[in-house]
Amino acid sequence: MENQFETVLTANPNTFRETCRQVKAYRDLILLFVRRDFVLTYKQTVLGPIWLLIKPFMTSVVFAFIFGGIAGISTDGTPQLLFYMAGNMLWACFSTTLTGASNTFITNSAIFSKVYFPRLTMPVAQMLISIINFFIQCAMYLIMIVYYKLTGADIMFTKYAFLIPVVLVQVSVLGLSIGIMVSSLTTKYRDLSIVVTFALQLWMYLTPIVYPLSMTSGVMRACLLVNPMTMPVEIMRLGTLGQGTFNLPSFLGAIAFSVLFFAAGIRMFTKVERNFVDTI
Amino acid sequence: MSGKPVVIEIRGLKKEYRLGQINNGTLQADLQSWLARIHHREDPNSIVGKNIRIGNGRIMALNGIDLDIRQGDRLGIIGSNGAGKSTLLKLLAHVTSPSAGTIRYNGRISSMLEVGTGFNGEMTGRENIYLNGAILGMNRSEIDGKIKDIISFSECGDFIDTPVKRYSSGMYVKLAFSVASHLDSDIMIMDEVLAVGDMNFQAKCLGRMRRLATEEGKTILYVSHNMATIRQLCNRCIVIREGALVFDGDVENAIAAYIESDEMNETRYKLDDTERWHDPEGAKLLSLEFPDKQASFFDAGEKMRLAIRWQATEPIASIFLRMDIKYMDMSQVGVTIAPLGSAKEGETHVSLLEFDCTNIAEGKYFFTVALNPVNTRTMNASYDDLKQKIYFEVGKQCQTDKDWNHGNLGHFLPPDTRLLRDRIVEA
C-alpha cells in the first residue's frame, strides 16, 4: 500500500537528487523565465538590447580613464579598454547572477505563496540570463580584439582560452550558490540584501579587475589567490590577451570553493523553501 | 463512489504556525527583543494573536487531518474564517510544507489558489498563456496542443496578441481561468476562483469543472463561502472547524453541520465597541436585544421583537434602522427598515421594534444593522454601520413542509395565493 502513490509530501526537505530532477522537469519554465526577462527589460526602450553592450563598454571606458589614465595603474602592456572589458564582463556575469538569485524569495513571494513550482527555477533562470548576456558581450569583445590586433597591439590568444568555458561555469555556479544562500537568509534578515550590494562592491576591488595580479606581492598577493574570483579574471585575460598569471592551486581552490558553496547553498535553499511562505 | 481508487491520502496532517513574528526581520529588532527579554520588559516587537489552539506561542492551524479523496470526487471544503481550509489547500498545493503527517497522491495537482498568478502586464495574452501554463506545470508541447482551446474558451481571441495590461479586468480573469482549467492535471484545487467574471462566464466555469470531474475523471477540491456554488459543483463536502475535520459526507448535510456550529442562543448584543464599517457619525448604536427571550428562536407565527439603544451625538431630523438579513450560508434574504423618529443632540433612546418574520422559511439566519438618515433599503450613507452578525432562528411555519431545502426552495415564503373564484366549467 505504501508505495502505490507517486508523490509524498512530508515535513522533510527535498533531497539533492529530487531537487535536480524537479528543476530538470521544469526546464521549459526556466526558458520562459529567461525569455520573459529579455522581453521585459527591453520593452519600450529605444536602444533595446544594445544597452547590454553599452554598459560594460562605458564602465571600461570610465575605468580606463580613472585607473589607467589618472591613477596610472599598469595593465600588463595590454590595451586598457580590453583589459578592463575582460574583467568587467566576467564580473558582471558573477554579480548579476548573485544579486538576482539573492532576491529570489523576496521578489517572488507573491507568486510563490500561490502556486508551487520548483523554487530553484528562478535563480537558475537568472544564471542563464547572465550567461547569455556574457556571450553577447563576448561577441563585442572579440570584435574589439580584432580591431586592436589590426592596429598592431601586442595581444594574442593562448591555450588558456580553452579554460574559459570551465571558468564561466565555475563563476556562474559560485554566483548562484552564494546568491541562493543569501536569499535563504533574507527570508529572516532583510538587511542582507543591502549588505550584498555593498559587499559585492568591496569584493570587486579585492579582485584583480582594475589592476593585474602581477602588480601585487606578499600578503596582498596571497589574499588575492584565495579569492575564488581572481583566477577566473586572470585566465580570461591570459586566454584572450596573452597577459596574466595562472596559478594552479588557486584555480583548483576556486573550483573546490564553488562546489562546496553549491552543495551548502542547495541545502540551505531546500530547507528554507519548504516553509518560507509562512514567514516572509 | 467508494469503488473508485483513492488519489489523495492524508494521514495525521498537522500544520503549526508560530504566533507573532517568527523573528523581526532585521537584526536590530532582534537585538531589541533580546534586550527586552533580559530586562524582563515587554517585547516591543511582539504581536499578540488570539486563538484557542494556542500553546507556547504556537497555533495548530491544522490539527491532525485524516482524509481519503477518491478519483472523480468533487470535494467541497467549508468552514468559518480561520478554520484551516486555506491551510489545507496550501499544503496540498505544495506551497508550504506540513509540520507533521503526510500527504500522498497520484498524478499532478494543480492549484488555482488565485487565478492569473504570474501574469505579467507587459506580455501579450499568448506569451502569458505559455508562461502561466509552464508555472502551473505544463510543458511547451502540451501548451502548443491546447492553445487554440484556451483562447477560444477565454473569449479573448481578438486581443490575444495585445499586452494584458490593456485588458479589462474581466478579460484578464477569463484568460487566466482558461489557462488554469485546461491544465492536464488529475487533481484541481480551487479557492473561490469563481468569485470573479460575469454570470455567464461563472456558469460556464462551473459547468466545465463538473464535466472535467464526471467525464474525464478529474478530482476537484473546492473551497468557498458561497454555498450556492458548492451545491452546484460538489458531490461531497467536508467541514473543518478549528483545524479538525468535523464532518465528511454529502453536501446538504455538510452545509447543515457548518451552520449548526454558530452561536444561536445569544439574546443581547453590546454594540458600543464592536467592529464597524466606519466610525459612527451623528448617531451610534449602543446595544440590541431580543427582550424576554431565552434564545433567539422564533416559533411559527411568532413575530420578532427587538429593543435597541442608540445615542444621537448631533441633532438628527430623521433616522431609520436598516436590517440586512442573510441566511447562514451568506445568501441574501432581504432588507427591512424601521423608522426611529428624530432626536436632539446628546439624547439616548431605547426603541422597541417588531419585525414580522413569519414569511421567512425555517432555518438559521443572521442580520447586520445600520442607522440610516433616509428611508431606503438600498445602500446609503449611514450614521452607523456595524459588522456584528446578530443570529436568529425561525421555526417551521407550516407543519406539512418537511426538510426545507434552502438551495431549492429559497428562504422566503411569499404569502399564500388566495383563491378568488372557483366554478365548475365542465363536468
Side-chain angles (χ1 to χ4, degrees):
Chain A
M1 284 298 280
E2 285 294 305
N3 47 18
Q4 96 187 60
F5 291 99
E6 294 162 11
T7 317
V8 179
L9 306 181
T10 63
N12 305 321
N14 277 339
T15 59
F16 183 77
R17 177 178 298 179
E18 174 64 14
T19 307
C20 295
R21 195 191 62 76
Q22 285 189 359
V23 170
K24 206 177 143 212
Y26 276 78
R27 55 187 179 279
D28 280 344
L29 179 61
I30 297 178
L31 295 180
L32 280 165
F33 280 143
V34 173
R35 205 182 115 78
R36 176 185 69 169
D37 191 80
F38 276 99
V39 170
L40 295 188
T41 314
Y42 301 112
K43 215 158 214 178
Q44 296 189 1
T45 59
V46 181
L47 296 179
I50 296 174
W51 280 112
L52 260 178
L53 304 177
I54 296 176
K55 273 190 288 181
F57 184 76
M58 286 312 287
T59 322
S60 303
V61 168
V62 171
F63 280 10
F65 180 68
I66 297 175
F67 299 105
I70 298 175
I73 297 172
S74 141
T75 55
D76 275 352
T78 55
Q80 286 178 356
L81 214 49
L82 290 182
F83 181 88
Y84 296 123
M85 265 298 281
N88 275 335
M89 281 159 41
L90 205 61
W91 183 262
C93 180
F94 171 72
S95 70
T96 52
T97 304
L98 197 158
T99 344
S102 73
N103 291 325
T104 306
F105 286 126
I106 291 187
T107 49
N108 300 305
S109 60
I111 183 169
F112 280 172
S113 65
K114 295 202 182 91
V115 48
Y116 177 79
F117 52 90
R119 273 65 167 116
L120 207 53
T121 50
M122 284 280 189
V124 168
Q126 178 60 51
M127 179 176 81
L128 288 183
I129 292 165
S130 303
I131 292 178
I132 293 171
N133 288 351
F134 178 80
F135 280 129
I136 295 173
Q137 291 164 1
C138 263
M140 177 174 73
Y141 182 62
L142 285 176
I143 294 170
M144 284 167 67
I145 286 182
V146 170
Y147 170 79
Y148 273 95
K149 191 81 190 161
L150 289 178
T151 56
D154 181 21
I155 48 175
M156 57 173 177
F157 280 93
T158 64
K159 60 182 179 185
Y160 290 101
F162 293 110
L163 273 182
I164 291 175
V166 181
V167 161
L168 185 62
V169 171
Q170 181 244 322
V171 164
S172 307
V173 168
L174 185 66
L176 177 75
S177 311
I178 299 177
I180 59 179
M181 280 169 112
V182 172
S183 74
S184 310
L185 291 171
T186 44
T187 58
K188 265 185 121 186
Y189 299 111
R190 298 277 175 109
D191 339 33
L192 262 180
S193 48
I194 304 166
V195 175
V196 163
T197 331
F198 183 60
L200 267 175
Q201 224 163 38
L202 285 184
W203 193 347
M204 192 189 98
Y205 288 108
L206 290 174
T207 306
I209 287 174
V210 299
Y211 52 87
L213 182 65
S214 60
M215 228 181 95
T216 61
S217 59
V219 182
M220 179 71 183
R221 188 182 164 88
C223 286
L224 285 178
L225 285 177
V226 173
N227 178 352
M229 282 303 291
T230 299
M231 268 308 115
V233 173
E234 287 292 320
I235 290 172
M236 179 82 190
R237 292 195 192 121
L238 192 55
T240 54
L241 306 175
Q243 286 296 327
T245 316
F246 181 72
N247 181 306
L248 188 65
S250 172
F251 183 53
L252 293 179
I255 289 176
F257 199 74
S258 305
V259 170
L260 209 74
F261 265 57
F262 185 63
I266 297 278
R267 201 183 150 82
M268 275 173 83
F269 194 85
T270 48
K271 214 167 159 182
V272 168
E273 69 171 352
R274 296 165 43 235
N275 284 322
F276 90 99
V277 166
D278 308 337
T279 63
I280 198 129
Chain B
M1 186 172 106
S2 58
K4 295 263 181 66
V6 174
V7 287
I8 307 179
E9 182 199 83
I10 300 173
R11 288 288 174 270
L13 190 68
K14 292 187 181 187
K15 178 67 180 177
E16 181 183 73
Y17 286 108
R18 279 165 68 177
L19 288 175
Q21 289 196 332
I22 302 297
N23 68 21
N24 305 304
T26 61
L27 273 170
Q28 188 212 353
D30 267 1
L31 279 175
Q32 253 177 19
S33 306
W34 176 74
L35 272 174
R37 255 203 313 281
I38 53 174
H39 288 124
H40 303 287
R41 278 200 304 260
E42 201 185 330
D43 184 347
N45 298 308
S46 73
I47 293 173
V48 184
K50 45 181 195 295
N51 197 295
I52 40 171
R53 286 160 287 160
I54 298 175
N56 293 332
R58 284 151 199 275
I59 174 175
M60 298 302 284
L62 285 181
N63 204 352
I65 299 265
D66 296 299
L67 183 64
D68 283 333
I69 301 166
R70 292 174 185 283
Q71 192 189 1
D73 273 3
R74 284 165 282 145
L75 182 75
I77 302 171
I78 53 181
S80 40
N81 289 331
K85 310 180 297 285
S86 298
T87 307
L88 178 62
L89 289 202
K90 275 189 172 174
L91 289 173
L92 281 165
H94 200 169
V95 163
T96 181
S97 300
S99 306
T102 54
I103 300 173
R104 296 191 177 85
Y105 62 88
N106 278 327
R108 187 155 75 191
I109 291 189
S110 64
S111 76
M112 300 201 260
L113 293 191
E114 202 164 290
V115 288
T117 321
F119 264 39
N120 192 303
E122 299 289 340
M123 295 175 33
T124 67
R126 193 186 303 274
E127 286 169 331
N128 268 310
I129 292 178
Y130 276 99
L131 185 65
N132 197 236
I135 285 176
L136 296 169
M138 286 194 269
N139 62 34
R140 202 177 172 88
S141 54
E142 278 179 82
I143 307 172
D144 282 335
K146 295 193 165 183
I147 190 143
K148 269 208 178 109
D149 291 342
I150 294 176
I151 295 172
S152 74
F153 189 86
S154 72
E155 304 168 354
C156 296
D158 296 340
F159 311 95
I160 205 66
D161 291 311
T162 307
V164 296
K165 66 178 173 185
R166 306 203 207 288
Y167 280 28
S168 74
S169 54
M171 285 157 63
Y172 189 91
V173 167
K174 285 177 179 185
L175 184 66
F177 184 85
S178 314
V179 181
S181 71
H182 282 79
L183 288 173
D184 220 352
S185 48
D186 315 272
I187 302 159
M188 305 186 114
I189 299 179
M190 295 189 292
D191 195 352
E192 310 243 34
V193 281
L194 303 175
V196 280
D198 55 59
M199 293 294 278
N200 285 334
F201 194 71
Q202 273 188 31
K204 192 171 160 184
C205 296
L206 281 172
R208 173 158 177 90
M209 288 294 114
R210 208 175 12 223
R211 243 193 340 275
L212 284 176
T214 50
E215 290 167 19
E216 299 180 29
K218 303 202 172 184
T219 308
I220 290 170
L221 309 184
Y222 179 55
V223 163
S224 180
H225 284 117
N226 183 339
M227 299 300 151
T229 55
I230 294 253
R231 279 196 181 94
Q232 278 180 58
L233 180 63
C234 302
N235 64 353
R236 179 184 165 194
C237 194
I238 59 172
V239 182
I240 295 182
R241 192 181 307 153
E242 290 173 7
L245 193 71
V246 293
F247 183 88
D248 181 358
D250 71 89
V251 177
E252 284 307 322
N253 285 331
I255 293 176
Y258 167 54
I259 289 168
E260 229 23 82
S261 62
D262 278 286
E263 66 280 82
M264 275 299 139
N265 295 328
E266 201 70 45
T267 59
R268 281 157 192 269
Y269 291 85
K270 225 167 98 57
L271 301 174
D272 50 343
D273 59 351
T274 57
E275 254 193 286
R276 287 166 152 81
W277 293 103
H278 62 78
D279 287 333
E281 291 167 51
K284 186 180 179 184
L285 262 176
L286 301 174
S287 69
L288 181 150
E289 69 173 298
F290 300 107
D292 310 320
K293 295 285 283 184
Q294 303 298 318
S296 55
F297 176 81
F298 301 92
D299 214 346
E302 186 181 351
K303 290 180 180 172
M304 179 195 292
R305 286 197 160 193
L306 9 122
I308 56 165
R309 244 162 70 89
W310 54 279
Q311 189 182 32
T313 52
E314 57 186 54
I316 280 172
S318 66
I319 181 166
F320 298 86
L321 179 77
R322 179 181 186 272
M323 292 163 56
D324 185 344
I325 305 169
K326 287 189 165 67
Y327 185 56
M328 290 298 288
D329 68 359
M330 304 291 284
S331 54
Q332 188 70 40
V333 176
V335 173
T336 171
I337 195 150
L340 302 178
S342 62
K344 292 197 183 75
E345 187 174 343
E347 284 178 346
T348 302
H349 291 234
V350 175
S351 314
L352 184 66
L353 307 166
E354 186 177 73
F355 168 62
D356 184 353
C357 56
T358 52
N359 43 22
I360 289 184
E362 61 171 290
K364 291 165 180 171
Y365 300 87
F366 66 87
F367 59 86
T368 54
V369 284
L371 292 174
N372 277 4
V374 257
N375 184 7
T376 171
R377 286 178 162 78
T378 51
M379 293 298 240
N380 208 285
S382 55
Y383 294 122
D384 196 2
D385 194 352
L386 288 86
K387 289 188 179 178
Q388 174 72 51
K389 292 174 180 172
I390 292 150
Y391 296 93
F392 67 98
E393 182 174 355
V394 177
K396 196 167 281 187
Q397 303 288 5
C398 172
Q399 289 310 314
T400 49
D401 292 341
K402 270 188 185 161
D403 299 329
W404 191 268
N405 182 328
H406 288 262
N408 297 338
L409 301 169
H411 316 306
F412 182 64
L413 306 174
D416 291 345
T417 308
R418 208 146 52 96
L419 178 69
L420 292 181
R421 180 173 49 202
D422 176 42
R423 53 190 170 124
I424 300 166
V425 289
E426 212 177 285

